Amino acid sequence: MKRRLCIYLTMIYAMLNQAQAQQADLVKYVNTLQGTDSEWSLSYGNTYPTVGLPFAVHFFSAQTGKNGDGWKYQYKANSIRGFQQVHQCSPWMGDYMVFSLMPGLGKLEVNEERRALSFKHENEIAKPHYYAVNFDNGIKAELSPVERGAHMRFSFPKKEKAFLLLDGFLGDSEIKIIPEERKIVGYVHNGRFVPEHMKNYFVLTFDQDFKAYGTWENVKGTIQAGQRYDAGKGKGGYLEFRPGTKVQVKMASSYISPQQADLNFKRELEGHNTFEVSKRKAFDTWNALLNRVRVEGGTEAEMATFYSCMFRANLFSRKFYEMDPEGSPYYFSPYDGKIHKGYMFTDNGFWDTFRGQFPLSNLLHPVMQGRYMQSLLDAQKQAGFFPTWSNPGMSGVMIGNHAISLLADAWVKGIRSFNADSALTAYYHEATNKGVWGGSNGREGWKAYFTKGYVPYGDIHESTAKTLEYAYDDFCAYQLAKATGNKFYENIFARQMYNYKNVFDPQVNFMRGRLDNGQWREPFDPVEWGGPFTEANAWQYTWSVMHDVNGLINLIGGVDKFNAKLDTFFTMEQRVNYGSYKQEIHEMREMLLSKMGQYAHGNQPTQHVPYLYNFSGQPWKAQKYARMVTSRLYNATEKGYPGDEDQGQMSSWYVLSAMGIYSVCPGTDEYVFGSPVFKKVTISLDNGKTFTIKADNNSPQHVYIQSAALNGAVYDKNFIRYEDILKGGELHFVMGDKPNYERGVSTDARPFSLSSID
């Protein structure tokens, strides 16, 4: 009996310990100021201190920059001029449907410069679920999010007038103040890529009476004291409260209607009687998500970097749907301006995120990804083309047609929520037409690409980069067609996916610009930026053959020459030729700061390159360089990224690489090995199973894989399949401080490639 009791108590103790471990506070590691010390000429992330739930409809942020400035929060600033509802996915794209609140003391100031209040970073808290700042004048501001709104609290010092100012931003707005209900309702319409009649309807409620109120406008700064209603360009409102008050503000928004804004408010905020309730629920939401990936055996600094990146990897794409009175999803479409049933997602540039952010989400959020894939087809029906960078609607910014990468990657990983034939038909239309929005709305240069096998340099800018991106996308279409037995599209894209060969010049051993007559663009300098390339040069784009690395190895002249060229890439002189940019752009400067030759991790085209050694028989070099990037180029501070964070891609690269894996070729089911940062990673999967990655003897010096085992069996491959992760189990590495030249060197150990090595 005693023995049974002892066993029983031991089991209870173990279960309690496990439950406690599952509820570990991981939010404490997140710093949402990571990457905020950025500017136009140098990006350490180009982020802002986002307050929001995962993939939420609305986020919020403190605002240090002027209304309309893409750099809405800069760490070097010492004053704040507002607390915005934000939707910005990149400073280069700008924000949309913005409004802000700002407290004031003593005298009513509406001008955004004069109302700004000074603060110090030591008086600031920046977490996913909670932002707070104590201003130098004694006002305290606090923010906590819900999915379609926020809860704020402003605490004012005694003896002086207390104001709250609502700024309607740069476009049209409507303000209606209802003092008897302690409420403001209205809408804003602003942004670069929004339909003309789109509106962001909002409702704000306050828990204190208004001592005075009025409207104002931000064009000339005129004030209408006592006025309850106004509409037009830049209209706003103000409220006065008794001195020393502590006022709570609850707000919700809708793109559909004022009635839906009220419904969102009731569902998400009505029961939140205190600010602490909203704060605690937001904390619980984030902590549960962060606990989906538990890392152990790293330094406190590495933990902070990992979970700060985990936070940003789970912000975009933003949900763009709401729930009707019956609880079914529907949305205002930014593509055709109509109301539709179903799910919609937005605010994402696929040129950035197809590489890592979507493959990470396929691991962590397969249900959401299934909804997302169908929404891509819905967007294509509404707009005539797939989105490439939505903000929230069609923009055509950047290059390629990477929606097909998302669709193919989901399909090969078992996420099959959409009709594959419909996706292929839509993609064929994408690849044989050009839309009116930007270079990636449809396919720029598609006729030459299909007839000549490449996009000629000349009238079409960035032609070689586009050829390489198109070839990869055509591979993804081929994969989807082959997996679903669609011989028609399989045969079409089976030829097109090899078009990368047509822009490789064996005389110089690089991808380069090619003219319409077939001749090569002269003169040629492999470090010249721009021209045939996008934010990069020939050294960086030559590696952009993710689907056929073996084919690239053959072009370069075999494994030995390929490895030698890779070695040179990481160690060569950091020379820069400005090329068509004619001046230093921030991507160039960030490459120089990284001090890794021509490797430019601050931009997406080279982020897979460290992992290419896995294809060429030298996997230990992939381990070396992957660990070098995670340790040298990332941290959790305001200078935490080596370039634009870009809707979670930079963060997702770190999260995956810190686990020891990366998706070199989305559209296949493989994650390629690097070097895990932590001694143990436990992934809690949606299906209830767990997958653990252990790295015995791991340390900053022990970066090399000595041996690997999968579920106890020796594992010599340099990759793991998605299905093996989903089954649950354990990948077990033993690490060392010297390379193991015997492990993972056989041809069977190498990841997927279309071709065989000659």
Side-chain angles (χ1 to χ4, degrees), residues 28 30-34 36-37 47-51 60-65 72-83 117-128 130-136 139-143 279 312 637-638:
K28 69 180 181 182
V30 179
N31 177 22
T32 66
L33 296 176
Q34 182 189 27
T36 58
D37 191 10
T47 60
Y48 48 88
T50 311
V51 184
F60 295 82
S61 175
Q63 173 197 0
T64 64
K72 61 175 67 266
Y73 180 102
Q74 291 180 295
Y75 192 83
K76 61 177 64 68
N78 57 16
S79 65
I80 290 171
R81 64 185 72 200
F83 297 94
L117 300 178
S118 61
F119 76 105
K120 299 178 181 63
H121 289 299
E122 55 261 36
N123 296 323
E124 188 180 31
I125 300 172
K127 295 295 179 183
Y130 178 63
Y131 177 91
V133 60
N134 288 298
F135 289 107
D136 294 345
I139 294 176
K140 182 176 183 178
E142 300 169 275
L143 290 71
K279 180 181 175 183
R312 293 213 173 269
T637 75
E638 64 277 5

Side-chain angles (χ1 to χ4, degrees), residues 504-525:
F504 184 85
D505 181 3
Q507 297 300 314
V508 298
N509 222 20
F510 284 99
M511 304 291 177
R512 64 182 294 193
R514 194 171 187 180
L515 306 179
D516 188 62
N517 62 8
Q519 295 181 353
W520 298 108
R521 173 181 177 258
E522 297 288 356
F524 176 70
D525 182 353

Side-chain angles (χ1 to χ4, degrees), residues 35-50 65-74 84 86-96 169 192-193 312 316 318 347 349 352 389-391 397 535 586-587 590 641 643-648:
T36 58
D37 191 10
S38 299
E39 57 192 14
W40 183 89
S41 61
L42 178 61
S43 173
Y44 284 110
N46 271 335
T47 60
Y48 48 88
T50 311
K66 294 181 180 179
N67 283 357
D69 188 348
W71 286 262
K72 61 175 67 266
Y73 180 102
Q74 291 180 295
Q84 293 185 338
V86 302
H87 310 100
Q88 180 170 291
C89 56
S90 168
W92 309 104
M93 299 292 282
D95 210 340
Y96 65 91
F169 212 61
R192 182 178 169 194
F193 299 108
R312 293 213 173 269
F316 297 102
R318 186 193 308 281
D347 294 340
D352 303 300
W389 192 331
S390 51
N391 193 58
V397 172
E535 299 173 357
H586 74 91
E587 289 89 352
E590 289 143 18
Y641 295 102
D644 285 349
E645 200 281 326
D646 285 327
Q647 307 98 59

Side-chain angles (χ1 to χ4, degrees), residues 40-43 92 529-530 534-536 576 578 580-592 603:
W40 183 89
S41 61
L42 178 61
S43 173
W92 309 104
W529 285 61
T534 303
E535 299 173 357
V576 172
Y578 294 160
S580 62
Y581 292 107
K582 301 185 186 307
Q583 61 178 340
E584 182 182 76
I585 61 174
H586 74 91
E587 289 89 352
M588 299 172 190
R589 190 175 175 193
E590 289 143 18
M591 182 200 78
L592 296 174
N603 213 12

Side-chain angles (χ1 to χ4, degrees), residues 185-199:
V185 298
Y187 69 81
V188 292
H189 168 88
N190 50 65
R192 182 178 169 194
F193 299 108
V194 298
E196 288 185 10
H197 58 287
M198 180 179 178
K199 294 177 180 178

